[in-house]
């Protein structure tokens, strides 16, 4: 019986064959029953042993294992592409995600892919290193969702990255995902509805030109030194003010030279004039000799970058008109990230 069971399982063919032979000798000496069972077990085990030897000697085990690795790699890296929306059995983008199924973006879904990239090959670098590398997703969002005003306030960036186990099977891909952080919504907890994509494939040339100019200024504003007080790093803040001044000049040039549609020309001219008025104040802050002088110029300059003043220009281009973090929205507008964006 042990020979038969081992032969059926095919996990220990050598052991099954040995047990079968021992059983046949014992049956002959003692006149016991079970010869047929021992013969079948020996035959199955012998066949399993022969197959195992064949696989090893022909190298078949190697290409079979490679096939398994290729299958895992393809299922992980190629199952999701930029622009795909999906659900998963895990249901938690912040935890384990498995059994991913692509679904139409028009309906409710768990996540939307906005970028993918591949990590450098080699030994598994460790969970912390993989997580740190995956933080690159944050910097890739602007290329997919150019208008921060149009992102719902409960949307956050997540990433699907290799684990130690999938890395050993060839998985090197990182998938950058947008997902909802809201629990217990009126529809389904933690879901999105509709695509969040807003780039050259979904926007017109005028909207793209405006958002690219705004991005230049936002990037400069976000490069402010981490120190809590200006006096803790006056040189760093002066360099920051210079970057903002340069960004203002770049965006003002775009606003004045781009061939805007008729309805947008006046709002864009007003916006350019406001930026031109703010720029000398940022220049003055960049030349400040002490923190007090910096604060005086900075306070006046920052007032001229009030987000509400951007609304007429945005409205003329049919872009979202509710500033990030302001709460309620106009019909057709989406909520937005709380971080100040212009």
């Amino acid at each position: 019986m042990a020979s038969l069971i081992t032969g059926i399982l095919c996990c220990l063919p050598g052991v099954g064959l040995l047990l079968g032979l021992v059983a046949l000798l014992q049956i002959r000496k003692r006149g016991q029953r079970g010869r047929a069972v021992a013969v079948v077990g020996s035959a199955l085990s012998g066949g399993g042993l022969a197959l195992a030897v064949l696989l090893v000697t022909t190298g078949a085990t190697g290409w079979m294992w490679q096939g398994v690795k290729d299958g895992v790699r393809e299922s992980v890296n190629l199952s999701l592409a930029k622009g795909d929306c999906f659900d998963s059995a895990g249901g938690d983008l912040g935890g384990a995600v498995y059994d991913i199924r692509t679904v139409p973006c028009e309906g409710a879904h768990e996540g939307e892919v906005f970028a993918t990239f591949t990590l450098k090959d080699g030994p598994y670098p460790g969970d912390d290193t993989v997580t740190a590398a995956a933080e690159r997703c944050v910097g890739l969002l602007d290329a997919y969702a150019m208008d921060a005003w149009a992102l719902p306030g409960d949307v956050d960036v997540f990433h699907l990255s290799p684990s130690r186990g999938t890395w050993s099977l060839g998985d090197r891909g990182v998938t950058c995902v947008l997902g909802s952080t809201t629990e217990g919504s009126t529809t389904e907890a933690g879901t999105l509805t509709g695509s969040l994509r807003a780039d050259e494939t979904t926007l017109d040339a005028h909207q793209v030109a405006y958002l690219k100019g705004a991005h230049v200024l936002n990037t400069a504003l976000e490069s402010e030194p981490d120190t809590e007080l200006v006096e803790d790093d006056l040189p760093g803040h002066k360099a920051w003010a210079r970057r903002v001044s340069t960004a203002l000049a770049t965006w003002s040039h775009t606003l004045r030279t781009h061939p805007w549609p008729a309805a947008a020309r006046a709002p864009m001219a007003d916006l350019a004039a406001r930026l031109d008025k703010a720029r000398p104040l940022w220049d003055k802050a960049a030349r400040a000799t002490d923190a007090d002088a910096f604060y005086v110029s900075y306070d006046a300059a920052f007032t001229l970058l009030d987000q509400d003043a951007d609304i007429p220009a945005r409205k003329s281009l049919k872009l979202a008109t509710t500033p990030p973090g302001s709460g309620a929205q106009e019909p057709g507008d989406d909520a937005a990230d709380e971080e100040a964006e212009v």
Side-chain angles (χ1 to χ4, degrees), residues 16-302:
L17 179 58
L18 179 61
L19 291 174
L21 294 176
V22 171
L24 288 173
L25 290 175
Q26 179 175 299
I27 290 170
R28 175 179 293 182
K29 289 181 179 180
R30 300 181 182 180
Q32 295 174 326
R33 292 180 298 177
R35 181 184 300 274
V37 174
V39 170
V40 173
S42 298
L44 291 175
S45 297
L49 181 60
L51 179 61
V53 172
L54 180 64
L55 291 176
V56 171
T57 56
T58 61
T61 53
W63 60 258
M64 289 177 64
W65 178 242
Q66 185 61 44
V68 171
K69 294 196 292 182
D70 290 344
V72 171
R73 185 185 304 113
E74 291 175 2
S75 66
V76 173
N77 292 348
L78 303 182
S79 60
L80 291 175
K82 182 178 179 180
D84 282 347
C85 295
F86 67 91
D87 288 328
S88 73
D92 180 12
L93 294 176
V97 177
Y98 56 93
D99 190 18
I100 292 175
R101 306 173 303 281
T102 56
V103 297
C105 291
E106 292 75 15
H109 51 273
E110 181 183 344
E112 178 174 353
V113 179
F114 66 86
T116 62
F117 60 91
T118 303
L119 299 178
K120 184 178 179 180
D121 204 1
Y124 184 66
D127 295 343
D128 292 342
T129 300
V130 170
T131 299
E135 292 300 323
R136 175 184 168 192
C137 285
V138 176
L140 297 175
L141 177 59
D142 287 330
Y144 185 85
M146 296 179 66
D147 190 2
W149 288 38
L151 283 176
D154 65 339
V155 167
D156 204 352
V157 172
F158 298 86
H159 58 81
L160 311 181
S161 55
S163 65
R164 183 179 296 276
T166 62
W167 187 279
S168 66
L169 297 173
D171 178 19
R172 302 291 185 272
V174 174
T175 303
C176 305
V177 176
L178 288 171
S180 173
T181 60
T182 300
E183 296 293 339
S185 62
T186 55
T187 56
E188 185 177 343
T191 60
L192 305 172
T193 301
S195 176
L196 297 173
R197 188 168 194 163
D199 57 13
E200 287 87 345
T201 66
T202 63
L203 302 172
D204 63 40
H206 304 303
Q207 293 171 326
V208 170
Y210 177 91
L211 293 173
K212 283 185 175 180
H215 179 68
V216 170
L217 179 55
N218 288 329
T219 300
L221 289 170
E222 292 167 0
S223 68
E224 181 180 6
D226 293 332
T227 53
E228 183 175 355
L229 301 174
V230 172
E231 47 266 40
D232 293 336
D233 184 11
L234 180 59
H237 280 82
K238 291 170 64 175
W240 169 59
R242 178 62 63 193
R243 290 193 295 273
V244 174
S245 175
T246 301
L248 288 169
T250 300
W251 194 19
S252 177
H253 177 75
T254 298
L255 292 171
R256 294 185 183 281
T257 58
H258 182 83
W260 303 107
R265 290 169 190 165
M268 296 302 171
D270 291 342
L271 178 55
R274 181 164 57 89
L275 298 180
D276 290 342
K277 187 176 180 181
R279 187 184 176 194
L281 295 172
W282 286 98
D283 284 337
K284 190 174 182 180
R287 298 191 301 270
T289 56
D290 55 47
D292 289 339
F294 182 94
Y295 280 124
V296 170
S297 299
Y298 165 81
D299 289 341
F302 205 80

